[in-house]
Amino acid sequence: MFEDVVKGLLRECEGKPFLMSLYVDCDRAQRSAKEILIDLKNLQKKASEEVKYVCGDANCKQCNETVASLFNELSDELSHGGFSEAKGVSCFADLHGDYRRFIGLPILVVNKIKFLDHPFLAPLVETLSPHKLALAAVVEARRATFFRVYASSVDKLMTLEEDVPPKVKSAGWYGLEETRIKRHVEDHVEKHLKNVGATMRALYDEDNYSIILVGGNTNYALVVADLLKEIITGIPVEVLENLGITDQPKAVVDAVADHALQTFVVESSNLIDGLITEHEKGGLAVAGLRGVIHASNLHAIHKLIVDSHKEIAGKRCSSCGALGLDEDLCPLCHGRMEDVEDVIDLLIYKTLCDDGDVRVIGGESPLREYEGVGATLRFLI
């Protein structure tokens, strides 16, 4: 799903050299609506001042109208409760066209605006890297509720209800008769849980889910998870113990996001350990900024790993687009190298354009000994 969002954005922005990328902190739990709108006004003022340098025309009517329209739309959306579960919003707009895209983010971001010839992707990749498209279920004895969850977005798909008689002890019922009633209840629960499993199997077929999570009553969740593991292979099926009985979207999003972050930490640690080991033995991996830039220029990167995004100045060839750090002439075509303010963002952009994968850890890792960046390779270089 992460690849679908980011690579889909790249396809949409292809051939649009006048792009505005905007990131807004809209965490309503930490900041008031008034504070968020004030920040938007300040960002709009900054955008209006800087857009002339991108377009080359300080009085370009279309650019100025696009900036004003986008900020008005975003301000109106946030004022009326839009992006309700999001803690940040990213926006991408073509200054010379009608294209615009809004993406809700699951963690807060630093307010930032960029005018570039490509979408500014680094903060988007960092916030979305841990998240997978999840099919989640909250299971009870009588009902189950199903959700589609990705990052800060959640859709309630459906609710399944069963007529299960309660386990009650009434006057006049004794001995074997009481046992018969309890068995009748257990039979209904078993049938209900099988129906939950079958329903999740059908929902799984309708979308490109990467993980299935089952919460609610832990005992029932364990039964459903075991049933699903028998009929669904190829993706993880796990019990989400911190997702209790609830139908509140925010509770579901928070529980799924916590699970995603915990899993991401473990996966990233294993990935980096393997990358460094492969690099040190001279295999299909490189670590360090110069090595990764060289691999990018050769289109050799399979997966780019950045421990945390920070802007590092570098160079880009004005002719072929090759990257560098301090070269005056392009290492590939010997063209003139131009200054760029963020070579890490360009590495991310080029890797995705080459159909490679990118992961931004969002914190310090063993890669810090290698300038915080490494990559696995498609072929030896």
Side-chain angles (χ1 to χ4, degrees), residues 270-376:
N270 294 335
L271 182 62
I272 290 172
D273 287 346
L275 184 154
I276 292 174
T277 299
E278 189 72 8
H279 165 67
E280 290 177 346
K281 72 179 186 182
L284 287 170
V286 291
L289 196 49
R290 286 192 185 276
V292 171
I293 287 175
H294 177 57
S296 174
N297 289 339
L298 297 178
H299 307 281
I301 293 180
H302 174 255
K303 184 185 286 285
L304 174 69
I305 313 294
V306 179
D307 64 359
S308 62
H309 172 250
K310 58 181 179 181
E311 292 186 1
I312 297 177
K315 301 276 189 173
R316 179 171 59 173
C317 178
S318 58
S319 297
C320 72
L323 302 180
L325 282 177
D326 48 22
E327 301 89 340
D328 293 324
L329 296 178
C330 174
L332 297 185
C333 74
H334 306 293
R336 184 170 58 88
M337 299 291 277
E338 298 177 334
D339 292 335
V340 292
E341 65 178 17
D342 190 353
V343 74
I344 298 295
D345 177 58
L346 281 169
L347 277 171
I348 291 171
Y349 171 67
K350 286 192 65 179
T351 300
L352 291 167
C353 287
D354 285 341
D355 204 28
D357 296 325
V358 177
R359 176 174 293 216
V360 181
I361 307 301
E364 287 195 16
S365 75
L367 273 179
R368 191 53 55 97
E369 297 182 16
Y370 299 90
E371 301 171 286
V373 61
T376 60

Side-chain angles (χ1 to χ4, degrees), residues 12 15 41 44 62 72 74 90 95 119 131 142 154 169 189 193 212 243 247 266-267 291 305 309 344 347 349 373:
E12 294 166 5
K41 286 291 184 184
Q44 183 174 358
Q62 184 172 15
N72 288 339
L74 183 56
S90 59
L95 295 174
H131 300 278
R142 295 172 179 263
V154 55
K169 187 174 182 178
V189 171
L193 297 182
I212 293 176
L243 177 58
D247 61 356
V266 175
E267 291 177 350
I305 313 294
H309 172 250
I344 298 295
L347 277 171
Y349 171 67
V373 61

Side-chain angles (χ1 to χ4, degrees), residues 65-85:
E65 286 181 350
T66 298
V67 169
S69 172
L70 182 135
F71 276 95
N72 288 339
E73 183 177 347
L74 183 56
S75 176
D76 187 62
E77 189 76 19
L78 291 172
S79 297
H80 292 87
F83 306 103
S84 58
E85 306 301 334

